[in-house]
Amino acid sequence: MLFRSAPVTMMGAAAVDSDLEASVISSTGVRDALRAGDAAAAARLLGRPFEIEARVQRGDARGRQIGFPTANLWLGDYLRPALGVYAVRAMIDDGPDTQRGVANLGLRPTFGGLAEPRLEVHLFDFSGDLYGRRLRVELVQFLRPERKFPNIEALKEQIGHDATAARTVLAAAGRRRRGPRPLAESEGG
């Protein structure tokens, strides 16, 4: 089979950023920006931040063990943005409250690696059980590429720096604009 049937999302007219008026806005441009780690360019093209939405799965609790509990999201058919650390905003079960955080999208090389990348989201100032709940995560800004650390202490120290950088980025970014639901890679044009 050459083509796979996929749901189509109809969207209304979008406001065009004046910097983009002379350029063609295409799904290829969005994918290229995300694969390059340019979340801001992807957001300008989409008119909103790129989002990943999935049900929180159980991991091996390494984040909790080192003081940074994470919600683990498997990507499924989603486009694979650049692997690395992002400042993020998230909504739980499509609720009205936005949580701020930092996330690693990657293969976890410090812990032996994974076959498929996953999104591990640490929400600031949040305590509660997220297992089985849906998390909608906006990639606000790419902070750094994923890398392997020589030991757990070096990783913990870097996560602390990443969290501080994400808080700064998110404070400057202000409140989120809620947009249409994200498209899986197989759905777009």
Side-chain angles (χ1 to χ4, degrees):
M1 175 187 247
L2 292 176
F3 297 99
R4 188 171 112 185
S5 175
V8 175
T9 301
M10 297 298 291
M11 298 173 61
V16 177
D17 185 315
S18 61
D19 293 338
L20 300 174
E21 285 182 17
S23 66
V24 174
I25 299 173
S26 70
S27 58
T28 300
V30 173
R31 285 191 296 267
D32 289 348
L34 288 167
R35 288 180 180 136
D38 195 345
R44 282 192 306 275
L45 291 168
L46 288 168
R48 60 171 176 77
F50 176 77
E51 298 172 336
I52 295 172
E53 182 175 353
R55 194 164 302 282
V56 176
Q57 304 292 320
R58 291 201 181 271
D60 54 16
R62 289 260 171 84
R64 184 177 305 122
Q65 293 167 6
I66 64 172
F68 295 94
T70 59
N72 298 290
L73 306 178
W74 277 251
L75 300 182
D77 287 338
Y78 275 95
L79 168 81
R80 303 306 198 250
L83 300 184
V85 178
Y86 290 83
V88 299
R89 287 183 292 241
M91 289 188 344
I92 302 166
D93 292 330
D94 216 17
D97 296 329
T98 301
Q99 305 290 324
R100 294 175 181 203
V102 64
N104 183 67
L105 175 62
L107 300 171
R108 300 177 42 187
T110 302
F111 295 110
L114 298 169
E116 289 288 321
R118 87 170 62 145
L119 184 63
E120 298 173 301
V121 182
H122 172 69
L123 299 176
F124 303 139
D125 309 315
F126 178 84
S127 63
D129 184 4
L130 292 173
Y131 293 122
R133 296 179 73 183
R134 293 202 69 75
L135 204 61
R136 185 173 170 189
V137 182
E138 293 179 345
L139 302 184
V140 176
Q141 185 173 315
F142 184 79
L143 300 176
R144 66 170 177 84
E146 183 178 47
R147 68 177 195 250
K148 184 175 182 176
F149 291 88
N151 56 53
I152 302 302
E153 288 306 314
L155 173 63
K156 283 173 57 174
E157 183 177 340
Q158 183 61 55
I159 294 172
H161 294 304
D162 295 338
T164 298
R167 285 181 189 273
T168 300
V169 165
L170 295 166
R175 298 203 42 91
R176 76 188 293 283
R177 283 188 353 211
R178 190 169 182 170
R181 293 201 172 272
L183 296 177
E185 185 170 28
S186 62
E187 295 180 73

